[in-house]
Amino acid sequence: MSTPKKILFYILLAISAFLVFFPVMYAFMISFMSGGEILQGKFFPESIHFDNYVKVFDRLPLMNYLINSFVVSFGVMLGQLVVCSLAAYAFVFIPFKGRDFIFFVFISTMMIPWEATMIPNFFTIQKLDWMNTYQGLTVPFFALAFGTFLLRQHFKTIPKELHEAAEVAGLGKFAFFWRVILPVSKTSLVTLGAYGFLTTWNMYLWPLLVTSTDQVRTVQIGLKQLQSQEVATEWGVVMAGVIVVIIPTLLLLFAGQKQLQKGLTQGALK
């Protein structure tokens, strides 16, 4: 690529990055502003103060909501890694009748929108008396077709000779899965873990349906409550809450960006 084209390319990338990141930057600036500054339409605050951040923790049990979100997101992430990795292992290394057909049916569930299964899942949770519980917030998301597909594609790249050698050496199926398959699949596992954590952290509708107390409600519901409580001149408090909530997701995204990109590309190409 010639130098002028490179310069143009980087300028377009910089403009695109600015446009994508602008809402976050503006929310960050507003979180330091008073109500009067926001109404005047200023972009930069006159001074940096943390009054809005203090108010948001005073007016909501935000720390409790953050802990609940961490517990639920980590639980879903762990459950998806266990269920999806075991399912992918069975679809690749354990021969059984109708394996390909069952996998096709399983993968076809990706075409069904979550909203279509939400009501049956809600009645199931209600029958199990799991309302206002962590298991009600996490268990319905353990079986993920995308995660099984992603890991299966990676497991298929592992040589069959390795599996045969493990059988000759007397290694059992679970031992082979635990001691051989998982260590060589770190990239795909990290990708699935980051994907599961981020999607669960940003979930709003399901926690709203199955919870009615602050003891187990997640931070996304807390943000909605904060927005409903505040009047237009208190948007600084709302934006302070937004910044506090998105910090963990941004840290995870920046830390796992390379692994996430590598894992998703790996699953798409193989």
Side-chain angles (χ1 to χ4, degrees):
M1 186 181 292
S2 61
T3 303
K5 286 185 177 179
K6 278 187 178 179
I7 295 174
L8 179 62
F9 180 67
Y10 283 113
I11 290 175
L12 290 176
L13 284 179
I15 293 174
S16 301
F18 176 77
L19 292 176
V20 170
F21 205 62
F22 178 77
V24 178
M25 288 193 299
Y26 191 49
F28 183 70
M29 294 298 175
I30 289 178
S31 68
F32 295 108
M33 294 183 190
S34 62
E37 291 176 276
I38 297 171
L39 291 177
Q40 291 173 17
K42 292 183 177 179
F43 183 78
F44 295 103
E46 293 179 354
S47 61
I48 301 296
H49 56 83
F50 296 92
D51 293 349
N52 291 328
Y53 288 91
V54 175
K55 288 179 182 177
V56 75
F57 280 96
D58 286 341
R59 297 179 186 182
L60 275 181
L62 192 59
M63 186 55 69
N64 187 39
Y65 289 154
L66 284 170
I67 293 172
N68 289 336
S69 285
F70 267 114
V71 171
V72 173
S73 301
F74 186 77
V76 171
M77 180 187 73
L78 197 62
Q80 286 181 352
L81 287 175
V82 172
V83 173
C84 294
S85 59
L86 288 173
Y89 178 79
F91 281 127
V92 175
F93 292 102
I94 300 178
F96 56 90
K97 189 176 182 180
R99 183 177 66 176
D100 293 338
F101 176 74
I102 293 174
F103 177 72
F104 174 76
V105 173
F106 186 64
I107 290 301
S108 65
T109 60
M110 292 172 64
M111 305 295 291
I112 303 174
W114 159 246
E115 289 77 9
T117 61
M118 187 170 54
I119 300 302
N121 280 330
F122 176 77
F123 284 124
T124 303
I125 294 299
Q126 200 174 37
K127 290 288 184 184
L128 292 172
D129 197 21
W130 282 1
M131 301 292 288
N132 293 312
T133 61
Y134 287 128
Q135 58 265 38
L137 287 164
T138 56
V139 172
F141 302 96
F142 282 1
L144 182 68
F146 167 73
T148 304
F149 173 75
L150 180 71
L151 295 180
R152 177 183 176 268
Q153 295 305 99
H154 177 71
F155 290 174
K156 287 182 71 176
T157 64
I158 297 173
K160 297 289 184 183
E161 292 78 8
L162 193 62
H163 186 215
E164 293 170 358
E167 288 182 333
V168 171
L171 209 60
K173 292 187 182 303
F174 185 77
F176 176 69
F177 167 76
W178 183 258
R179 296 168 61 179
V180 178
I181 298 297
L182 293 185
V184 300
S185 307
K186 288 180 180 176
T187 300
S188 298
L189 292 172
V190 170
T191 302
L192 179 59
Y195 175 81
F197 188 92
L198 291 174
T199 52
T200 308
W201 182 274
N202 293 316
M203 196 179 297
Y204 173 74
L205 187 55
W206 182 252
L208 182 66
L209 281 175
V210 300
T211 62
S212 58
T213 66
D214 291 339
Q215 301 301 318
V216 291
R217 280 195 155 171
T218 57
V219 76
Q220 302 297 337
I221 299 175
L223 278 183
K224 183 59 181 175
Q225 289 177 347
L226 186 66
Q227 183 184 352
S228 304
Q229 290 172 5
E230 303 304 326
V231 294
T233 55
E234 291 290 314
W235 278 107
V237 180
V238 177
M239 291 304 160
V242 171
I243 294 299
V244 171
V245 170
I246 66 174
I247 283 176
T249 58
L250 288 179
L251 291 177
L252 181 62
L253 195 60
F254 288 142
Q257 183 182 9
K258 288 185 179 179
Q259 295 291 336
L260 189 63
Q261 184 180 10
K262 186 178 177 182
L264 289 175
T265 307
Q266 190 178 51
L269 296 179
K270 291 178 180 177

